[in-house]
Amino acid sequence: FLDNLPLVNTVRRMHVAHHNPEFMHQYNFNLTFPICDLLFGTSDAKVGLIRGLFSGMSEKYIRPELKQVVDNQNKSKERKTF
């Protein structure tokens, strides 16, 4: 049930991004209340408050300067999958 809730998936995505060594010291500081990252501009997604809270696991709204980093990491994960 919880896997289908956009807000839960948003927090999950932000938590994963928070631990990304490429930008963990610049984005997604507030794991308990991601609304604060959206309000203070420290979210990895470049969206408004409402869209940010309900974007779920989508990487569609990731900041352009971070998109290349995320894409490279996803390609690296695909190569390691057996």
Side-chain angles (χ1 to χ4, degrees):
F1 170 74
L2 290 177
D3 287 344
N4 296 323
L5 296 176
L7 182 60
V8 171
N9 285 323
T10 298
V11 173
R12 182 181 300 154
R13 184 191 57 75
M14 291 180 85
H15 182 86
V16 170
H18 167 78
H19 290 285
N20 183 324
E22 295 287 330
F23 51 92
M24 69 187 303
H25 298 290
Q26 297 174 339
Y27 301 101
N28 296 358
F29 296 111
N30 200 325
L31 300 176
T32 308
F33 300 105
I35 190 171
C36 293
D37 281 317
L38 294 165
L39 290 174
F40 295 117
T42 55
S43 173
D44 64 329
K46 190 169 179 106
V47 294
L49 180 63
I50 301 300
R51 180 170 283 165
L53 289 176
F54 296 100
S55 61
M57 291 294 287
S58 173
E59 295 178 353
K60 179 179 178 180
Y61 304 109
I62 292 178
R63 293 175 183 267
E65 62 268 24
L66 302 177
K67 187 69 172 149
Q68 184 67 40
V69 173
V70 172
D71 288 344
N72 288 341
Q73 290 174 344
N74 287 342
K75 288 178 186 173
S76 173
K77 288 178 187 174
E78 288 173 7
R79 280 183 259 152
K80 292 179 183 177
T81 304
F82 294 108

